[in-house]
Amino acid sequence: MFEGKTILTGVKPTGTPHLGNYLGAIRPAIELGKKAVEQGGSHYMFIADYHAINAEKNPIVLKQKMKEVACVYLAFGLDPKKSVFYKQSDIPEIPEITTILYAYTPKGFMNKAHAYKAAVDKNREAGKPDDDGLNMGLYTYPTLMAADILTYDSDIVPVGKDQVQHVEIARDIAGAINAHYGKELLRLPEYHIEENVAVVPGIDGRKMSKSYGNVIPLLEDDKSIKKAIFSIKTDSRPMEEPKNPEEILVYEIYKSIATPEQLLEMGEGLRQGKLGYGHIKNMLLDAVIAEVSTAREKYDYYMSHYDEVESMLAEGAQKARPVAQRTLKRLKDAVFGR
Ligand code: TRP
């Protein structure tokens, strides 16, 4: 499926991830990149720090978030020898290409882009003027994202549902430029949504999210993970009462991390009244710890040897830049008639 294809993944530095981020985004991104490379494609993976400054103005906080996100991906197995792993801000061609793309970006696209619309909606709800507190970085976010994508002739951009529109905007901009110059200056990207990716519920049953305070931590010590897992909502039915596993939150969370055999074991135990809530919470705890323990050690190592990570990112940028330079030249030659 990926032979000869270029896959590009971008992540924003959003701070310490939880189990939901891991199962829903981090693990699928790493696995997809691996698969692409195995099948003879290439994988670009970058940290979108220019996107981040629209919201995060404190350099110390931003630096810490960058550090965490870089170390998380490496800890969970992103291989910088196979994937081109870099920081967006290390590629100066990106803002240059963005500027060229602006000339082909209808303003109406930006008005309709959902990141901007969501911010406007929030202002309206709060009774504030539409554009209160919004900067041009947020408004033009999709064009920068289009540059991220189009620069590397990306074929496939794996995204969550909320980012589909942005990939479509990139495609439209590329199409407009190609049509204008009558040749394929830019490759038209496609979005890819992983079908089997879990939306992991949090310990109160709503979607796991930092803003709800219902997360299971990922890279903290066993005690913190245990504390969260043992706070998962249950009821007071006794163990012996046969239960439908599908109605049990612990089981729901277990689904996204257990093997089919493990899942069957928990399901049967609940149906037959042989497993109580304490048992199944321990089973979930074991599965989470088994999944994260090696990564946690690696994470701690990278966090305390960040200079090594920085040189990996710098090497990644060195691999990415020549490609970006070629795209920039192609565009400049066309738009300036060189
Ligand atoms: N907008 C993406 C997000 O919020 C991050 C991102 C920036 C991205 N540039 C990208 C993703 C290019 C894919 C391709 O998650």
Side-chain angles (χ1 to χ4, degrees):
M1 176 186 177
F2 294 122
E3 196 187 338
K5 301 270 186 205
T6 299
I7 321 299
L8 174 121
T9 327
V11 282
K12 281 200 296 191
T14 46
T16 325
H18 53 69
L19 186 70
N21 300 136
Y22 169 67
L23 295 170
I26 300 169
R27 190 171 71 178
I30 295 171
E31 278 174 5
L32 198 74
K34 222 173 246 170
K35 201 152 91 189
V37 173
E38 270 164 20
Q39 295 180 5
S42 44
H43 181 224
Y44 288 78
M45 163 106 227
F46 74 97
I47 310 173
D49 50 355
Y50 273 134
H51 281 106
I53 60 172
N54 297 329
E56 184 54 73
K57 299 290 192 285
N58 181 336
I60 298 166
V61 176
L62 183 58
K63 223 169 140 181
Q64 180 65 17
K65 287 180 173 175
M66 291 294 290
K67 200 174 155 179
E68 287 173 5
V69 73
C71 294
V72 163
Y73 276 87
L74 291 169
F76 280 104
L78 183 83
D79 182 350
K81 294 212 160 50
K82 293 187 174 151
S83 298
V84 182
F85 184 44
Y86 62 98
K87 280 194 293 204
Q88 186 184 33
S89 66
D90 279 344
I91 315 293
E93 289 75 17
I94 293 289
E96 287 197 65
I97 290 171
T98 305
T99 301
I100 296 175
L101 300 187
Y102 281 146
Y104 297 86
T105 307
K107 179 168 173 282
F109 278 12
M110 305 293 102
N111 296 338
K112 278 185 278 184
H114 90 246
Y116 170 69
K117 266 178 62 182
V120 169
D121 288 347
K122 218 168 151 190
N123 277 337
R124 286 185 186 165
E125 269 168 39
K128 293 178 182 163
D130 279 6
D131 286 336
D132 193 69
L134 304 192
N135 55 53
M136 285 304 284
L138 175 75
Y139 187 58
T140 59
Y141 185 108
T143 310
L144 175 58
M145 181 159 161
D148 294 330
I149 295 170
L150 301 175
T151 293
Y152 303 100
D153 292 328
S154 307
D155 295 291
I156 299 168
V157 185
V159 286
K161 286 200 185 76
D162 63 324
Q163 297 296 319
V164 166
Q165 184 198 28
H166 293 156
V167 181
E168 283 174 338
I169 290 176
R171 197 181 159 87
D172 286 347
I173 295 172
I177 292 179
N178 291 347
H180 184 79
Y181 294 99
K183 58 181 162 192
E184 205 204 323
L185 285 170
L186 296 167
R187 186 165 302 167
L188 302 190
E190 277 170 34
Y191 64 83
H192 170 85
I193 294 187
E194 279 283 78
E195 292 301 335
N196 299 319
V197 166
V199 177
V200 186
I203 61 173
D204 60 358
R206 292 184 291 173
K207 181 179 191 274
M208 192 181 291
S209 160
K210 218 184 323 192
S211 57
Y212 294 151
N214 65 357
V215 307
I216 297 174
L218 187 65
L219 294 159
E220 290 174 25
D221 56 15
D222 290 4
K223 223 173 103 190
S224 317
I225 298 178
K226 183 168 182 183
K227 190 168 161 233
I229 288 180
F230 275 76
S231 319
I232 295 173
K233 223 163 84 185
T234 49
D235 54 42
S236 55
R237 284 180 290 170
M239 180 180 92
E240 297 73 27
E241 188 178 322
K243 298 174 192 73
N244 175 1
E246 297 299 335
E247 290 165 2
I248 292 172
L249 186 54
V250 179
Y251 180 82
E252 205 50 47
I253 302 174
Y254 198 54
K255 266 187 188 170
S256 44
I257 195 160
T259 63
E261 296 77 32
Q262 287 174 323
L263 193 65
L264 195 70
E265 189 192 342
M266 188 183 284
E268 285 307 302
L270 287 165
R271 266 187 216 102
Q272 295 165 10
K274 287 189 179 147
L275 288 173
Y277 293 130
H279 296 130
I280 63 171
K281 284 179 174 178
N282 271 316
M283 289 164 83
L284 175 61
L285 178 64
D286 288 346
V288 171
I289 289 176
E291 179 84 21
V292 304
S293 63
T294 323
R296 212 165 38 184
E297 279 169 32
K298 281 200 203 164
Y299 179 77
D300 292 342
Y301 174 86
Y302 286 127
M303 287 296 278
S304 55
H305 295 78
Y306 194 60
D307 51 329
E308 290 180 26
V309 177
E310 280 184 316
S311 45
M312 289 178 202
L313 288 166
E315 259 175 56
Q318 263 175 28
K319 288 186 225 161
R321 269 199 84 184
V323 183
Q325 281 161 347
R326 278 202 297 278
T327 305
L328 178 60
K329 177 163 189 316
R330 214 159 66 220
L331 282 172
K332 276 179 138 178
D333 285 352
V335 300
F336 297 124
R338 288 177 183 158

